[in-house]
Amino acid sequence: QKWLWTMPTIYEELLELQKSGGEGVLVTVVEKEGSGPLPPGAKMLVHRDGRTTGTVGGGELERLATARAGDLLRARQSHLQRYALLDQHQVTEEEEATGMVCGGKVTLFYEYISPGPHLYIFGGGHIGHALAYHLRTLPYYVTIIDDRPGIAQSLPAVARVLIVDYETALDGEHVPEGSFFVIATPAHAADYLVLRRLIAGDWKPRYVGLLSSRSKATTFIRKLRKELGEKIDFSALYTPVGLDLGGSSADEIAISVIAEIQAVRYGRLGHRHLTTSSEPRTEANPNA
């Protein structure tokens, strides 16, 4: 039972995925009828780059399983699929099977593995600190980015703290589509550089929240339109950031921002946002 030897490695890699904020699909044999290649419990972990660890039987079944796992990774979904093992080493999904089933049947469960939505906070000051504190029990993979050495020691525990230049912080890193961003650096210039990068880039964020006054928000939007063109997409931008809950302390602002992120994440409409009236409409702020 050589497939058992790979099980500790699979669990180690699952833990590493969680720590690194990565994604994968865990494929498990959950049922076997007839002469299936491996018994229930056999597992294979498929990574985003197509690498695999473990096995669900090799051959055509494993080829089909790896391809299906790649599709499910892109769709971010789990799935249960039965396969018919035919003669001449052929395999097909059961509902499509024709002819005599000579080798039995196998059911595979594809489990999409994700650390939760990625949330990047630019700035580890009072607002960043409060956000990290109130996010600690919510299922987000939180990264705080700041350029000030030593600030990490004062922050609540999050998945990652990056002490790097704001503008180039995520260069060369896989940033999942649909991620959430909050911009709250200690300087207007840094805020603008980060915002410009997020708006002009190809990361397709679900939410970009900019901590600002209404006048600052209006100025930034006008400047971006002048630099990037009138057709630039602002649909993910929320500034001033947060739901209109009241309160001006760091904790109260953080709660309003997290509430807004939750509303966007779950598609809840009708809340009163702080977004400036000069900002284009968004799905969460249709009356902007």
Side-chain angles (χ1 to χ4, degrees):
Q1 305 226 0
K2 295 182 179 180
W3 63 274
L4 288 171
W5 299 353
T6 63
M7 298 298 281
T9 303
I10 288 176
Y11 292 127
E12 290 169 0
E13 292 191 8
L14 284 171
L15 182 60
E16 183 57 34
L17 276 179
Q18 184 181 41
K19 290 179 178 179
S20 65
E23 297 173 292
V25 170
L26 182 63
V27 189
T28 304
V29 178
V30 295
E31 187 178 48
K32 182 187 79 167
E33 300 176 19
S35 56
L38 288 178
K43 299 179 187 297
M44 177 177 69
L45 179 61
V46 182
H47 295 264
R48 174 168 285 277
D49 61 4
R51 290 184 298 112
T52 63
T53 303
T55 181
V56 290
E60 181 66 5
L61 176 63
E62 196 153 300
R63 186 191 70 78
L64 290 174
T66 302
R68 172 58 68 93
D71 292 339
L72 292 168
L73 257 174
R74 288 183 285 275
R76 299 180 180 179
Q77 294 178 350
S78 297
H79 182 69
L80 185 71
Q81 182 63 55
R82 289 170 62 86
Y83 294 88
L85 310 179
L86 309 179
D87 55 358
Q88 299 180 347
H89 306 290
Q90 294 180 348
V91 180
T92 185
E93 294 183 358
E94 188 178 31
E95 60 265 29
E96 299 176 356
T98 59
M100 181 177 292
V101 178
C102 299
K105 300 176 182 179
V106 173
T107 302
L108 301 182
F109 177 56
Y110 297 84
E111 182 182 2
Y112 171 64
I113 305 296
S114 169
H118 284 247
L119 198 164
Y120 299 88
I121 302 170
F122 287 84
H126 295 304
I127 302 301
H129 185 285
L131 283 167
Y133 175 81
H134 292 290
L135 283 163
R136 69 193 187 284
T137 59
L138 293 178
Y140 291 90
Y141 185 85
V142 178
T143 300
I144 294 182
I145 299 162
D146 204 292
D147 64 357
R148 294 168 287 183
I151 200 169
Q153 285 74 22
S154 66
L155 292 170
V158 295
R160 291 191 307 167
V161 177
L162 303 179
I163 306 301
V164 290
D165 180 74
Y166 288 117
E167 190 177 12
T168 60
L170 301 176
D171 283 359
E173 182 168 322
H174 171 68
V175 177
E177 288 186 10
S179 293
F180 296 77
F181 298 85
V182 177
I183 306 171
T185 80
H188 288 342
D191 282 347
Y192 182 77
L193 287 174
V194 173
L195 178 62
R196 189 184 191 282
R197 185 181 181 206
L198 294 178
I199 294 297
D202 57 0
W203 286 335
K204 299 179 181 179
R206 180 79 180 276
Y207 173 94
V208 177
L210 171 66
L211 186 72
S212 72
S213 64
R214 292 186 180 277
S215 61
K216 174 181 170 180
T218 301
T219 299
F220 276 16
I221 290 165
R222 289 174 178 169
K223 187 175 180 181
L224 285 169
R225 282 181 170 142
K226 183 177 180 180
E227 291 185 5
L228 302 176
E230 288 293 328
K231 294 183 179 180
I232 195 69
D233 182 11
F234 287 107
S235 62
L237 177 61
Y238 293 76
T239 183
V241 67
L243 295 185
D244 189 7
L245 303 180
S248 58
S249 71
D251 286 304
E252 290 168 326
I253 292 170
I255 289 169
S256 77
V257 173
I258 294 170
E260 184 170 70
I261 289 171
Q262 288 286 94
V264 172
R265 179 184 176 188
Y266 292 107
R268 299 302 192 205
L269 306 181
H271 298 288
R272 185 176 178 185
H273 296 252
L274 293 174
T275 305
T276 178
S277 59
S278 67
E279 176 56 26
R281 299 184 182 205
T282 69
E283 64 174 1
N285 188 29
N287 298 315

